[in-house]
């Protein structure tokens, strides 16, 4: 199948790089977003997200005349949906006495509805947003059929998950293996033909629900493996063991690879997607729910560790280093570090946080310092929450000159192996009961 023009709904971390990729490979792309600031920014030749190399590619795509942006879709050969699929903040489900989070599919619904007036015979519609199983056939197809056309007979529908790593999106969009699930084999083939425009990785065709499950399974697998590492950190403390050493030794087994514990799991993928299984089949997702609960409760475990290190939290000044959900990124979404800061403040500590990738971040309930020095100035204790390179590289000698604190609490194993004791520090490490 040949595509001359496509319309991409949602111009965020996924939609904008994808739009510019198609546009720089000779396809006319109309990028659609409901946020007028994003439209204005791109029209002015700038971008609104931090992703290496993206600014140049978007500029080239706009200058070539192949990428334009608009507030509403228009007729095209294919439509791609890459809008957010978060969970509801205040609306929970209940099953068997347990609470679970529910997917907020309003953006997918409204983006699909916006396509309906423009849908023509022979079109392809692809959902890329991470979605609960059966979303393509149970939510997207019925909305599209309000056009009077019949899916599978008059137009093609597919689901294609995205697995790119922020910071490497442009390379991974091209090189990663891609899965395309069609509502029928012809739809999968149409999706294959579309992505083959720029994808150099293998393209695997399957059905739509399998493709949806593949994406959620990938992130659930990682969530469960991090949960077991977090539980190992609690057990190691109980048994007087150093979990980091135990993980390293266990991973010498040729078929064992244990992930790292830490203050919890964050970001908008791994900490969100497993809920889609729990919501759709709570009776069959008990391990998945437990893993989510373990990871969501890890910030409380960190607070207990800080309490142990300081005796009491009331009035204690704590410098919290890092707010991002993982090392060396500026993304604070669903970050467990932020949750730790909230819990410490609630327990009566005076917390000054510093996030080098977003020092100006204004988060409710977080007192953020603009520099490392300001966060550390009067501290009683220093709490390492994110393994940013900048923090890992701090030496005992440097730290000694910028803070009066002599108690360090390391939740990410960033400061292991340095001689903190002879510099006068007392180091407490997550998962170390020795
Ligand atoms: N960011 C990632 O690394 C990543 C990786 C894999 C999968 N995903 C999934 O991809 C989807 C998009 O994620 P993202 O990170 O690009 O989100 P994002 O928040 O960066 O961007 C989404 C964009 O969609 C726009 N939007 C919302 N409703 C709309 C509508 N009805 N019509 C048009 N535009 C609309 C928003 O204004 C926003 O600009 C999500 O389902 C996410 O889980 C993201």
């Amino acid at each position: 199948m040949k595509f001359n023009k496509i319309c991409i709904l949602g111009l965020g971390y996924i939609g904008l790089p994808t739009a510019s990729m198609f546009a720089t490979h000779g396809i006319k792309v109309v990028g659609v977003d409901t946020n007028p600031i994003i439209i204005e920014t791109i029209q002015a030749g700038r971008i609104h997200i931090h992703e290496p190399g993206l600014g140049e590619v978007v500029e080239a795509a706009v200058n070539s005349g192949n990428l334009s942006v608009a507030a509403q879709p228009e007729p095209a050969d294919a439509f791609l949906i890459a809008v957010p699929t978060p969970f509801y903040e205040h609306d929970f489900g209940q099953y068997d006495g347990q609470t679970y989070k529910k997917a907020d599919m309003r953006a997918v619904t409204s983006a699909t509805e916006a396509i309906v007036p423009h849908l023509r015979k022979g079109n392809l519609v692809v959902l890329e947003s991470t979605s609960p199983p059966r979303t393509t056939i149970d939510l997207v197809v019925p909305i599209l059929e309000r056009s009077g056309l019949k899916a599978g007979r008059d137009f093609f529908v597919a689901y294609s998950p995205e697995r790119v790593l922020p910071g490497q999106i442009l390379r991974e969009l091209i090189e990663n293996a891609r899965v395309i699930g069609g509502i029928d084999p012809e739809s999968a083939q149409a999706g294959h033909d579309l992505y083959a425009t720029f994808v150099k990785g293998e393209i695997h065709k399957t059905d739509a629900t399998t493709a949806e499950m593949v994406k959620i399974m990938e992130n659930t697998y990682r969530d469960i493996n991090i949960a077991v590492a977090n539980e190992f950190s609690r057990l190691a403390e109980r048994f007087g063991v150093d979990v980091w050493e135990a993980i390293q030794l266990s991973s010498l087994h040729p078929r064992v690879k244990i992930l790292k514990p830490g203050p919890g799991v964050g970001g908008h993928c791994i900490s969100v997607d497993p809920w889609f299984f729990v919501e759709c089949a709570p009776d069959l997702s008990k391990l998945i729910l437990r893993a989510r609960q373990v990871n969501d409760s890890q910030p409380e475990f960190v607070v207990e560790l800080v309490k142990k290190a300081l005796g009491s939290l009331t009035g204690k000044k704590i410098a919290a280093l890092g707010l991002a959900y993982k090392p060396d990124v500026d993304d604070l979404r669903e970050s467990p570090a932020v949750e730790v800061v909230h819990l410490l403040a609630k327990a009566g500590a005076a917390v000054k946080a510093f996030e080098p990738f977003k020092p100006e971040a204004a988060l409710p309930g977080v007192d953020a310092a603009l520099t490392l020095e300001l966060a550390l100035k009067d501290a009683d204790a220093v709490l390492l929450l994110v393994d940013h390179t900048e923090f890992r590289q701090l030496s005992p000698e440097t730290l000694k000159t910028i803070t009066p604190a002599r108690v360090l609490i390391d939740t990410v194993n960033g400061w292991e192996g340095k001689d903190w004791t002879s510099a006068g520090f007392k180091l407490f490490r997550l998962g170390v009961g020795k």
Side-chain angles (χ1 to χ4, degrees), residues 71-108:
Q72 283 297 325
E74 47 187 78
D77 301 316
F79 298 87
L80 264 66
I81 302 170
V83 297
T85 45
F87 46 65
Y88 284 104
E89 288 294 331
H90 305 291
D91 183 9
F92 301 100
Q94 287 285 336
Y95 178 81
D96 208 10
Q98 306 282 344
T99 301
Y100 60 79
K101 297 184 183 177
K102 289 163 57 176
D104 175 354
M105 300 303 289
R106 285 175 296 180
V108 171

